[in-house]
Short mmCIF file of all heavy atoms in Angstrom, two decimals:
data_model
loop_
_atom_site.label_atom_id
_atom_site.label_comp_id
_atom_site.label_asym_id
_atom_site.label_seq_id
_atom_site.Cartn_x
_atom_site.Cartn_y
_atom_site.Cartn_z
N PHE G 537 -13.30 -1.33 -78.62
CA PHE G 537 -13.20 -2.64 -79.28
C PHE G 537 -14.51 -3.42 -79.26
O PHE G 537 -14.58 -4.52 -79.77
CB PHE G 537 -12.08 -3.45 -78.66
CG PHE G 537 -10.74 -2.75 -78.71
CD1 PHE G 537 -9.93 -2.70 -77.61
CD2 PHE G 537 -10.32 -2.11 -79.87
CE1 PHE G 537 -8.70 -2.04 -77.66
CE2 PHE G 537 -9.10 -1.44 -79.94
CZ PHE G 537 -8.30 -1.41 -78.83
N LEU G 538 -15.53 -2.84 -78.70
CA LEU G 538 -16.86 -3.46 -78.66
C LEU G 538 -17.38 -3.75 -80.07
O LEU G 538 -18.17 -4.66 -80.27
CB LEU G 538 -17.83 -2.52 -77.93
CG LEU G 538 -19.27 -2.93 -77.82
CD1 LEU G 538 -19.40 -4.15 -76.88
CD2 LEU G 538 -20.11 -1.78 -77.27
N PHE G 539 -16.89 -3.01 -81.05
CA PHE G 539 -17.42 -3.12 -82.40
C PHE G 539 -16.61 -4.05 -83.31
O PHE G 539 -16.81 -4.06 -84.52
CB PHE G 539 -17.50 -1.72 -83.03
CG PHE G 539 -18.34 -0.78 -82.23
CD1 PHE G 539 -17.76 0.22 -81.46
CD2 PHE G 539 -19.72 -0.91 -82.21
CE1 PHE G 539 -18.54 1.08 -80.70
CE2 PHE G 539 -20.51 -0.07 -81.45
CZ PHE G 539 -19.92 0.94 -80.69
N LEU G 540 -15.71 -4.83 -82.74
CA LEU G 540 -14.86 -5.71 -83.53
C LEU G 540 -15.67 -6.70 -84.37
O LEU G 540 -15.35 -6.95 -85.54
CB LEU G 540 -13.89 -6.48 -82.63
CG LEU G 540 -12.91 -7.39 -83.35
CD1 LEU G 540 -11.94 -6.57 -84.20
CD2 LEU G 540 -12.16 -8.26 -82.35
N ASN G 541 -16.74 -7.23 -83.81
CA ASN G 541 -17.53 -8.23 -84.54
C ASN G 541 -18.14 -7.64 -85.82
O ASN G 541 -18.09 -8.25 -86.88
CB ASN G 541 -18.61 -8.85 -83.65
CG ASN G 541 -19.54 -7.82 -83.04
OD1 ASN G 541 -19.34 -6.62 -83.13
ND2 ASN G 541 -20.59 -8.31 -82.40
N VAL G 542 -18.67 -6.45 -85.72
CA VAL G 542 -19.29 -5.83 -86.90
C VAL G 542 -18.20 -5.42 -87.91
O VAL G 542 -18.40 -5.54 -89.11
CB VAL G 542 -20.18 -4.64 -86.48
CG1 VAL G 542 -20.75 -3.94 -87.71
CG2 VAL G 542 -21.31 -5.13 -85.57
N LEU G 543 -17.07 -4.99 -87.41
CA LEU G 543 -15.94 -4.68 -88.29
C LEU G 543 -15.56 -5.90 -89.12
O LEU G 543 -15.35 -5.81 -90.34
CB LEU G 543 -14.74 -4.21 -87.46
CG LEU G 543 -13.51 -3.77 -88.25
CD1 LEU G 543 -13.72 -2.39 -88.85
CD2 LEU G 543 -12.28 -3.77 -87.34
N LEU G 544 -15.49 -7.07 -88.48
CA LEU G 544 -15.12 -8.30 -89.20
C LEU G 544 -16.22 -8.72 -90.18
O LEU G 544 -15.91 -9.24 -91.26
CB LEU G 544 -14.83 -9.42 -88.20
CG LEU G 544 -13.36 -9.62 -87.82
CD1 LEU G 544 -12.54 -10.23 -88.93
CD2 LEU G 544 -12.70 -8.37 -87.33
N MET G 545 -17.48 -8.49 -89.84
CA MET G 545 -18.54 -8.81 -90.79
C MET G 545 -18.45 -7.89 -92.01
O MET G 545 -18.69 -8.32 -93.14
CB MET G 545 -19.91 -8.72 -90.12
CG MET G 545 -20.16 -9.92 -89.19
SD MET G 545 -21.85 -10.01 -88.59
CE MET G 545 -21.81 -8.68 -87.38
N GLY G 546 -18.09 -6.64 -91.78
CA GLY G 546 -17.85 -5.74 -92.91
C GLY G 546 -16.70 -6.23 -93.77
O GLY G 546 -16.78 -6.20 -95.00
N ALA G 547 -15.64 -6.71 -93.12
CA ALA G 547 -14.50 -7.24 -93.86
C ALA G 547 -14.91 -8.45 -94.69
O ALA G 547 -14.46 -8.61 -95.83
CB ALA G 547 -13.38 -7.60 -92.88
N MET G 548 -15.75 -9.29 -94.12
CA MET G 548 -16.24 -10.46 -94.85
C MET G 548 -16.99 -10.02 -96.11
O MET G 548 -16.81 -10.60 -97.18
CB MET G 548 -17.13 -11.31 -93.94
CG MET G 548 -17.60 -12.61 -94.55
SD MET G 548 -18.55 -13.62 -93.40
CE MET G 548 -20.00 -12.61 -93.16
#
Side-chain angles (χ1 to χ4, degrees):
F537 303 134
L538 178 69
F539 302 106
L540 182 66
N541 57 351
V542 177
L543 183 76
L544 265 288
M545 286 189 286
M548 185 176 66

